[in-house]
Amino acid sequence: MELERHAYDVVVVGAGGAGLRAAIAAHEDGARTAVVCKSLLGKAHTVMAEGGIAAAMGNAYPEDDWRVHFRDTMRGGKMLNHWRMAQLHAQEAPDRVRELEDWGALFDRTPDGLISQRDFGGHRYARLAHVGDRTGLELIRTLQQRTVALGVDVFMECTVTRVLTDDEGVTGAFGYWRESGRFVAWEAPSVVLATGGIGKAYKVTSNSWEYTGDGHSLALQAGAGLVNMEFVQFHPTGMVWPPSVRGILVTESVRGDGGVLRNSAGNRFMFDYIPDYFRKETAETEDEADRWYEDKKNNRRPPELLPRDEVARAINSEVKAGRGTVHGGVFLDIASRRPAEYVRKRLPSMYHQFKELADVDITAEAMEVGPTCHYVMGGVEVDPDTAAARVPGLFAAGEVAGGMHGSNRLGGNSLSDLLVFGRRAGTAAAEHARKRAGLVALVEEELADAARAALAPFEREGGENPYTVQHDLQQTMHDLVGIIRTAPEVEQALVRIAALRERVAALSVEGHRQYNPGWHLALDLPHLLVVSECIARAALEREESRGGHTRDDFPAPDPEWGRTNLVCARTADGGVGVARQPLPQMPPELAEVFEEAP
Ligand code: FAD
């Protein structure tokens, strides 16, 4: 078999914020490091991030500190987050932002020259460091420049299809060049998964083509567990019209900067959806909510800035009750609330996005918005301090890792998560590689098996085309395992997923290995199917509603489930099993934070 071979200490799969930060850390710790990414370097999902990086720097409000950020994050996740991850994240995020600045990132400034921090849902104080509404672009630019300057090897437009293991743990990775279709293998004692999320399992999503759950599935296949998979974040505000742009994100900064949600009767409906859990910290009247933008100390936050799960459900209910727009959304209005110049300065990308894609001038008229699948809270179960999965030598950071965000992620907490845990993963991966130096080798049989599996779609004739199968899977997840779920619907989804698995096993692709998108999708589909199955199985098991998981047949949170996580793992017969696991015990000094006033 023709195969390109390489040897490294650490192979990082993914070149978004988590992957690049991991690669920098591993390289700085002396590891021979490679980064592999499906698309061109710089094109990762991170580049699309708009609003900012959450970090309790105290620039806007000196009373902000890591404890408040920790508390907000845990409450946003309805207390299912791994407390230690939330603690490390809140403690280390400010240093990671300052470090980015040292490496050349140019953040927006406060009038007295500090890094500016903006408001976002669920954060008590304005704490998102940002660059207009193009923060991800600046983050990626900075990390990419540093990665390249340090001399880390980059394999771009190259897809990893398998993490290789032996009885002792990871031995490397196997993949193919997307352009030529040729195979490539990396021998390495440490592999860091930083592959992002699973959005392409759903029909309406803010995610790009790359988000097919590869890392989730590769980890599962290698023997790792996936935690919290039932929790999928539907961002409340995606574009709804025209159909070709449905799902594209409308940043939460629009609401952070004063935008409000209205139904077709013009009512600011979020006041009708304030849950008891957040009542004490949410404004009761429009006057109080509006005063909050100028005086946060003496007023409570507007309900439009409740955590995303609450706002997405409220929009869903308004539309269902017949109070939506003709295109099935609601109105997001900043035009009547802020001067045109302010909107263009604070939200330049949104202004252009609506002007170019929908012919809507957001400084003059309201946007039409509705929920869109945005982020997966579930991911590889890792040790909080090292980002190590249960398979020795396997690490995971960023959106592919689970535990940090519990049942719901707060806006801005992903970019900070990437930096904090990307760095920790890179350092621990380098350390593991030192211990395993000279002890790993690629096994020919395993390489041959990986190649056979990759070529299988060419060997079959007359099968379905992969695009039809992907479409049917997305429709199934949208209809049956979406924002609101019930047991009969999820059971039906599992039956359909099983049928789709048979269709995937039989599908065939035409042509040859040189740049063949149909073949690429055929190899992505098993990943999408297995993550969809994990989501559905965990969603069926959790008989309560919490964060990004709403069961119409169990509409309230259940205290017992509030102490339990679900972990998916491969079963002996190659299926997916779900096990209950008690939450890790939070130490008393951290538990005290929740007794203080909101
Ligand atoms: P990514 O940045 O997506 O990188 C994944 C990498 O993995 C890519 O390089 C990809 O090519 C590679 N990859 C995947 N599979 C394979 C494979 N099989 N082989 C090789 N390479 C592979 N979060 C915030 O905190 N603040 C925000 O303001 C914000 N705004 C957002 C706006 C939008 C439109 C979207 C979609 C998300 C936003 N988020 C935001 C969420 C945040 O951007 C993502 O969660 C985060 O960027 C994920 O980073 P990552 O490094 O984990 O993955």
Side-chain angles (χ1 to χ4, degrees):
M1 176 185 43
E2 194 189 333
L3 179 69
E4 182 184 324
R5 291 165 193 253
H6 300 272
Y8 286 94
D9 299 319
V10 175
V11 170
V12 179
V13 188
L20 293 179
R21 190 62 192 83
I24 291 168
H27 177 93
E28 284 177 341
D29 271 18
R32 290 170 305 151
T33 305
V35 174
V36 189
C37 51
K38 247 172 152 170
S39 53
L40 289 170
L41 185 63
K43 281 236 163 190
H45 217 141
T46 303
V47 83
M48 296 159 76
E50 295 162 356
I53 311 174
M57 308 178 80
N59 291 353
Y61 285 83
E63 45 281 77
D64 196 13
D65 72 9
W66 75 262
R67 290 172 159 269
V68 190
H69 192 182
F70 166 75
R71 176 186 169 282
D72 292 347
T73 300
M74 293 291 303
R75 279 175 60 81
K78 304 269 165 61
M79 305 304 282
L80 281 198
N81 326 47
H82 195 306
W83 64 266
R84 176 68 178 156
M85 290 181 94
Q87 179 192 22
L88 289 170
H89 166 259
Q91 284 174 331
E92 294 179 6
D95 281 349
R96 298 285 76 77
V97 172
R98 281 188 278 268
E99 174 182 80
L100 275 187
E101 191 176 45
D102 290 345
W103 294 346
L106 296 169
F107 289 102
D108 288 359
R109 321 303 297 184
T110 63
D112 41 3
L114 300 171
I115 291 177
S116 166
Q117 301 201 268
R118 68 156 41 118
D119 285 303
F120 245 51
H123 292 280
R124 174 142 191 228
Y125 296 113
R127 64 163 75 97
L128 267 70
H130 59 99
V131 184
D133 55 2
R134 296 177 182 137
T135 311
L137 179 63
E138 186 66 356
L139 189 146
I140 278 287
R141 185 190 69 76
T142 308
L143 292 178
Q144 190 181 311
Q145 266 180 10
R146 188 157 180 90
T147 308
V148 172
L150 288 172
V152 172
D153 289 346
V154 178
F155 295 75
M156 56 182 169
E157 299 202 285
C158 193
T159 300
V160 169
T161 58
R162 199 173 280 191
V163 171
L164 304 168
T165 53
D166 63 14
D167 291 345
E168 306 293 316
V170 166
T171 57
F174 179 93
Y176 68 93
W177 290 104
R178 296 175 75 81
E179 199 186 338
S180 64
R182 297 228 168 108
F183 294 132
V184 49
W186 300 265
E187 179 189 290
S190 296
V191 168
V192 179
L193 295 172
T195 49
I198 58 96
K200 281 292 169 191
Y202 284 86
K203 187 172 144 194
V204 178
T205 177
S206 65
N207 290 188
S208 76
W209 63 270
E210 289 180 77
Y211 266 18
T212 47
D214 301 12
H216 289 75
S217 156
L218 294 174
L220 200 72
Q221 196 182 11
L226 301 183
V227 66
N228 292 343
M229 287 304 287
E230 65 275 39
F231 298 113
V232 177
Q233 181 167 82
F234 291 84
H235 193 291
T237 58
M239 292 178 84
V240 295
W241 193 257
S244 58
V245 301
R246 191 155 182 202
I248 292 182
L249 191 77
V250 179
T251 176
E252 191 167 323
S253 317
V254 176
R255 283 170 285 137
D257 286 349
V260 295
L261 292 163
R262 296 185 201 281
N263 60 21
S264 53
N267 293 331
R268 205 171 147 182
F269 59 83
M270 278 310 301
F271 287 94
D272 302 333
Y273 293 93
I274 302 169
D276 287 342
Y277 193 73
F278 292 109
R279 198 169 293 284
K280 271 208 301 211
E281 55 206 80
T282 309
E284 265 167 65
T285 63
E286 292 195 23
D287 280 350
E288 183 184 1
D290 288 347
R291 283 197 306 270
W292 174 87
Y293 286 98
E294 302 307 324
D295 175 6
K296 297 193 169 59
K297 279 185 201 144
N298 298 308
N299 298 289
R300 292 170 297 174
R301 341 170 35 82
E304 284 85 2
L305 290 177
L306 281 163
R308 289 175 176 173
D309 53 324
E310 309 289 354
V311 184
R313 268 192 302 271
I315 294 176
N316 202 55
S317 303
E318 284 297 298
V319 174
K320 255 192 169 165
R323 294 188 289 270
T325 67
V326 282
H327 302 122
V330 294
F331 293 110
L332 173 59
D333 167 30
I334 194 159
S336 73
R337 313 235 331 141
R338 297 287 182 263
E341 200 184 317
Y342 175 93
V343 174
R344 273 195 295 266
K345 177 151 187 284
R346 297 278 293 189
L347 303 162
S349 299
M350 282 306 105
Y351 177 74
H352 289 293
Q353 183 173 309
F354 273 89
K355 197 93 193 100
E356 278 156 32
L357 302 179
D359 197 22
V360 167
D361 176 355
I362 68 167
T363 67
E365 50 192 313
M367 297 159 247
E368 263 187 81
V369 295
T372 179
C373 173
H374 185 55
Y375 184 89
V376 63
M377 272 65 76
V380 184
E381 192 184 27
V382 289
D383 171 69
D385 288 74
T386 60
R390 47 165 109 124
V391 180
L394 188 65
F395 301 81
E399 192 167 341
V400 70
M404 160 66 208
H405 305 284
S407 70
N408 173 54
R409 174 180 72 91
L410 294 186
N413 270 359
S414 174
L415 294 187
S416 38
D417 167 359
L418 311 181
L419 298 170
V420 168
F421 294 104
R423 173 178 159 274
R424 283 182 166 270
T427 304
E431 166 78 24
H432 178 84
R434 269 195 295 280
K435 288 191 203 137
R436 298 277 301 150
L439 296 175
V440 301
L442 296 174
V443 178
E444 294 306 317
E445 239 169 69
E446 224 197 328
L447 296 172
D449 186 56
R452 245 191 323 272
L455 292 175
F458 286 115
E459 307 296 324
R460 297 184 291 255
E461 277 174 23
E464 258 181 293
N465 106 34
Y467 295 96
T468 321
V469 181
Q470 187 189 28
H471 171 270
D472 290 355
L473 174 66
Q474 291 172 333
Q475 192 72 51
T476 297
M477 294 303 283
H478 180 88
D479 293 344
L480 304 174
V481 203
I483 301 187
I484 313 286
R485 301 152 177 188
T486 63
E489 284 177 348
V490 180
E491 278 160 3
Q492 202 188 333
L494 282 164
V495 172
R496 286 201 203 166
I497 288 169
L500 285 164
R501 191 174 315 103
E502 285 180 19
R503 286 166 63 186
V504 167
L507 63 73
S508 53
V509 291
E510 292 184 357
H512 36 69
R513 280 157 71 180
Q514 277 87 1
Y515 199 85
N516 184 338
W519 179 42
H520 302 169
L521 181 58
L523 297 184
D524 292 342
L525 274 173
H527 300 315
L528 276 175
L529 272 174
V530 82
V531 294
S532 300
E533 182 174 349
C534 290
I535 293 169
R537 289 207 180 282
L540 188 60
E541 183 82 4
R542 183 173 285 277
E543 294 184 329
E544 65 153 359
S545 293
R546 183 181 298 269
H549 169 68
T550 303
R551 284 281 298 262
D552 223 11
D553 40 359
F554 296 94
D558 174 335
E560 193 46 46
W561 276 110
R563 292 187 274 276
T564 310
N565 270 331
L566 291 174
V567 181
C568 297
R570 273 269 176 230
T571 51
D573 61 358
V576 172
V578 188
R580 297 182 187 203
Q581 190 170 282
L583 287 191
Q585 190 69 38
M586 188 187 296
E589 67 276 14
L590 284 180
E592 270 170 22
V593 172
F594 300 92
E595 282 149 29
E596 293 158 16

